[in-house]
Amino acid sequence: TAMLGASVVQRLLRKREWAVWRIVPALGLIAVLVRVYAVSMVPAFVSSALTGRGLSVAALHRDHPQGADDWENKCTALTTRVASLVRPGEAMEVWGWAPGLYWRTGTHPSSRFMMMIPLIMTGPTNRLADYQYAWQREYLDSLRASRPRVYVVAKDTMGLHTFYDERPERLLRTVPGLAAWLEQEYVLDTAMADWVVYRRRSGLTK
């Protein structure tokens, strides 16, 4: 940001172009870039690196206050709720793109599909391959057999438009039998901004 600002000022000085209509946009751009830099994690990252406090996410957040909608806060709230419903070492299931939730809660997936992408990502023809339909049947069979205590559904695409354009909660209904199984076996526990937590209808006592 500093180098870009200096370059713009140097060019103006060299050409003696001091017309207001030339200066104001340049200064406005510099102000925007400085603001973006100031609210980013870069200052905290540099500070932590130079002072030897570490480069972990936790170390960065100690010097960079989190906002109300910070992703880490959302994940912490989700983790806290899920941890109240399932014990470490037990099975749960996450539909979406959040395998880190298993690590955060000490649980494991109830199927071999830690993420939904292999089950729903289409190819150049915009159609699923035959083996993906077999995977969908395997996925549902695994859920029926293990009956995870908790099923978490992501609401948004989490920026993965390269792989799919629809919301995970909508894509869940494209897997034959999955939505019906979820509605029959589970009840809504908690609806969050980016997640929906379902708990099994029976056997909920920790």
Side-chain angles (χ1 to χ4, degrees):
T1 302
M3 293 178 63
L4 179 60
S7 175
V8 172
V9 172
Q10 183 182 35
R11 181 175 298 179
L12 291 174
L13 289 173
R14 184 179 303 165
K15 293 185 176 182
R16 302 179 182 276
E17 296 173 341
W18 287 98
V20 174
W21 66 272
R22 290 181 181 274
I23 298 175
V24 171
L27 294 179
L29 175 60
I30 293 173
V32 170
L33 292 176
V34 169
R35 176 59 179 168
V36 171
Y37 172 82
V39 300
S40 71
M41 291 295 292
V42 175
F45 179 85
V46 173
S47 174
S48 295
L50 294 178
T51 57
R53 285 176 290 188
L55 302 180
S56 67
V57 172
L60 293 177
H61 279 300
R62 280 197 295 270
D63 298 320
H64 189 276
Q66 301 168 338
D69 61 344
D70 188 282
W71 181 251
E72 181 66 18
N73 285 341
K74 293 180 179 180
C75 287
T76 298
L78 175 62
T79 301
T80 300
R81 183 53 195 159
V82 170
S84 70
L85 299 172
V86 62
R87 299 185 184 94
E90 291 185 330
M92 62 170 289
E93 195 68 26
V94 181
W95 178 261
W97 175 281
L101 186 58
Y102 298 116
W103 173 78
R104 288 171 176 267
T105 56
T107 59
H108 61 84
S110 56
S111 74
R112 69 185 180 99
F113 302 98
M114 295 185 65
M115 294 172 284
M116 69 178 189
I117 290 181
L119 303 174
I120 54 86
M121 186 174 66
T122 57
T125 61
N126 202 33
R127 299 182 62 182
L128 294 174
D130 291 341
Y131 62 82
Q132 288 178 288
Y133 289 111
W135 285 352
Q136 289 182 353
R137 291 191 294 270
E138 177 190 340
Y139 177 71
L140 187 54
D141 288 342
S142 297
L143 294 176
R144 287 169 173 163
S146 61
R147 301 183 67 239
R149 296 168 67 89
V150 174
Y151 196 95
V152 179
V153 178
K155 287 185 178 181
D156 62 32
T157 60
M158 293 164 278
L160 296 173
H161 298 286
T162 302
F163 302 104
Y164 53 88
D165 293 322
E166 297 185 79
R167 293 176 178 271
E169 58 183 344
R170 165 70 178 82
L171 290 167
L172 183 147
R173 298 189 173 276
T174 67
V175 178
L178 181 56
W181 170 83
L182 184 62
E183 293 171 1
Q184 179 180 351
E185 298 291 334
Y186 291 77
V187 296
L188 174 64
D189 179 85
T190 307
M192 300 180 173
D194 298 302
W195 310 92
V196 180
V197 179
Y198 295 91
R199 53 190 172 89
R200 200 173 63 207
R201 291 183 181 273
S202 59
L204 293 175
T205 304
K206 289 191 68 173

